[in-house]
Amino acid sequence: MRVLLLGAGGYLGRFVADRLLADPAVQLTALGRGDDADVRFDLSTGSPGALTRFLDAVHPGVVVNCAGAIRGTASELARHNTVATATLCESLRRSGCRARLVHLGCAAEYGPSPNGSSIAEDAVARPGGPYGVSKLAATELVLGSGLDAIVLRIFSPTGPATPAGSPLGRLADSLRRAMQHGDSELKLGGLGVQRDFVDVRDIARAVHAATLSAAQGVVNIGTGHAVRLRDAAAALARISGFAGTLHELDAPPPPRHGGEGPAAAAPAVPYPDGCGPWQQADVRTARDRLGWRARIGLEESLADIWMEAACRM
């Protein structure tokens, strides 16, 4: 099976490439903006005609789209996530290769959800920021393209090579600096948020499973369990050997009692992903249609995150 991988140089793309290369039945070609790509092509600025000619020459059976941007201005996010996906879909429609498309979406497309709920694929998507909007628009383009396509909605990726700008990446970097400076107290904010953290190696397994499956539509990729960032921080501190105290800057105030009115509202906490304080995946579709479930626990993911952070000490 010949697979064309877009975005192989990105955080998720690198692990997807490793997983696909481990399958002796896969012939992998990487297309992207970086020097490490087999073929240089920028989906956000390239023409559908040029990509169509390449598809007809390579004739892949599956195209995996890991390309995109997670930060930038609204126009930059729209160009790299939405316009790029439109170019890919149009090229695949024009091409004679009839390739299956595996597109990586994001849980930010759903937006905020009720505390304690599990988000199923048929939930109404209401993204809370420009990133989620750009990714939802891309998903809608894929679903409306008429292609043989599946969208994997990835929840909160973690594990080795976790970007420093992610919540767990920032925690690990803060712990590293505190230990380097001999600090006995580490002040952290935003620890009340709860997210469904899924290891990047499990995500790569899901992508591989999707290339072999006939499933179409949207499929959530998560663990099905939300974890409070406060608990992840405590586990990461224990793994790192940090002997100091974690001090939460934005802990909610205690509730009022005895006729003093309603409980005071917690101070506003920004959620850069636009998903609010809670997000948890309903993962039954992934189990039933892909035969996939997460295998790597958060403790192992956190240990790998800390190992890389400790190497920078």
Side-chain angles (χ1 to χ4, degrees), residues 5 177 192 199 211 258 278 287 299:
L5 175 60
R177 291 197 305 270
D199 194 275
T211 66
W278 168 276
R287 179 196 63 201
E299 286 273 332

Side-chain angles (χ1 to χ4, degrees), residues 120-259:
E121 290 84 356
D122 59 358
V124 177
R126 295 189 178 94
Y131 171 65
V133 169
S134 69
K135 291 295 289 183
L136 178 60
T139 288
E140 295 298 333
L141 285 168
V142 171
L143 297 179
S145 66
L147 299 168
D148 173 14
I150 184 171
V151 176
L152 303 182
R153 270 198 181 134
I154 311 299
F155 277 66
S156 299
T158 188
T162 293
S166 70
L168 294 180
R170 285 195 299 271
L171 281 173
D173 202 47
S174 297
L175 280 166
R176 176 185 60 81
R177 291 197 305 270
M179 294 174 73
Q180 280 181 317
H181 298 149
D183 296 336
S184 60
E185 183 181 67
L186 179 58
K187 298 179 180 180
L188 300 168
L191 297 185
V193 67
Q194 296 181 74
R195 290 291 181 266
D196 190 333
F197 294 107
V198 55
D199 194 275
V200 67
R201 292 160 292 192
D202 279 333
I203 295 170
R205 287 180 42 248
V207 173
H208 187 208
T211 66
L212 303 173
S213 167
Q216 296 184 340
V218 176
V219 178
N220 288 338
I221 301 299
T223 65
H225 301 285
V227 174
R228 197 179 300 273
L229 195 55
R230 182 183 305 122
D231 297 331
L236 193 57
R238 174 175 48 77
I239 290 168
S240 70
F242 178 66
T245 302
L246 298 182
H247 180 66
E248 190 170 354
L249 295 176
D250 50 15
R256 294 176 177 174
H257 300 287

